[in-house]
Amino acid sequence: MSVTSHLSMDIASKAAMFGVATARGIDRAFANAADRRAVAAHANAGLADRLQSAREGERDALVAAHQLALELARVRAENAALRAALEAERAQSIRLALVIRQVAAAA
């Protein structure tokens, strides 16, 4: 065999080994990419769950705030009614005191 033949065979075997190594590297890269996609999908599912929980919590907070606003409005209306009743009783007491003074002065 000539030197050229030996060199050609050596180059061919190295090219074949490089091709196999490259193919294995590509296969590994695709497998790693698939693993990363699976991890990312799992993380996205977890984030979606947390987002849904946050939205539910926000809705619950809005419902609670609305209920508190309704309760505050009810208490304010009740307070206004009680103040009006207190003013009426105060006016009645003043009138009664005037009548008692008039009766005492006439006697």
Side-chain angles (χ1 to χ4, degrees):
M1 253 186 161
S2 69
V3 173
T4 308
S5 297
H6 281 293
L7 284 175
S8 294
M9 285 176 51
D10 190 38
I11 290 172
S13 81
K14 288 192 184 201
M17 288 189 306
F18 178 74
V20 169
T22 302
R24 286 182 185 158
I26 290 171
D27 289 344
R28 255 187 262 123
F30 277 117
N32 289 341
D35 289 344
R36 283 194 297 273
R37 280 194 301 273
V39 168
H42 181 69
N44 284 342
L47 289 174
D49 288 344
R50 287 172 39 199
L51 178 62
Q52 182 62 29
S53 294
R55 285 182 178 156
E56 289 171 1
E58 181 182 10
R59 189 187 75 238
D60 292 345
L62 287 173
V63 167
H66 180 69
Q67 289 173 343
L68 285 174
L70 290 175
E71 179 68 14
L72 179 61
R74 185 191 66 74
V75 167
R76 283 182 176 168
E78 186 178 301
N79 192 17
L82 290 173
R83 282 185 182 183
L86 182 62
E87 284 298 317
E89 285 188 29
R90 184 170 177 251
Q92 179 69 22
S93 295
I94 291 171
R95 283 192 297 272
L96 222 64
L98 289 175
V99 168
I100 290 172
R101 276 189 192 167
Q102 287 175 353
V103 169

